[in-house]
Amino acid sequence: MRQRPETAQRAAFGFVHIVFGSWFSVIASDFGSWIFASRYVRTRSLFTGSVEHSVYGILVFTVGLGRYFSHGPVPETPVRAIAPAPA
């Protein structure tokens, strides 16, 4: 009997991408999680799913959809000088 990818797993994977502030990223990630889960069910290989996630991630940025999946560079945090130790 063939197993179906779990709905809860797909929803969680999609919802995690809400941090990017775009409903497109949530919906696209839900679709992507269906692909990854289907591949995992066939191969039982987490490595295969990880490589597939990387390849599709690179593809998303290559075709110009990266703005929906990234916040951009992390802003620099100002460095505070530590006061010298009392003598």
Side-chain angles (χ1 to χ4, degrees):
M1 182 171 150
R2 187 176 170 124
Q3 296 178 348
R4 286 183 33 203
E6 294 296 324
T7 305
Q9 179 269 336
R10 288 181 57 199
F13 184 81
F15 189 73
V16 164
H17 288 80
I18 200 165
V19 299
F20 297 120
S22 166
W23 283 105
F24 176 79
S25 64
V26 174
I27 293 167
S29 297
D30 180 57
F31 176 71
S33 69
W34 175 76
I35 294 171
F36 305 144
S38 297
R39 176 82 61 199
Y40 177 78
V41 166
R42 277 188 300 229
T43 64
R44 292 287 183 214
S45 171
L46 187 58
F47 178 75
T48 302
S50 300
V51 169
E52 189 173 28
H53 182 272
S54 299
V55 169
Y56 287 139
I58 292 168
L59 181 65
V60 161
F61 279 85
T62 301
V63 299
L65 296 174
R67 66 176 174 246
Y68 299 112
F69 293 91
S70 177
H71 291 300
V74 177
E76 284 190 38
T77 306
V79 178
R80 294 184 196 172
I82 299 175

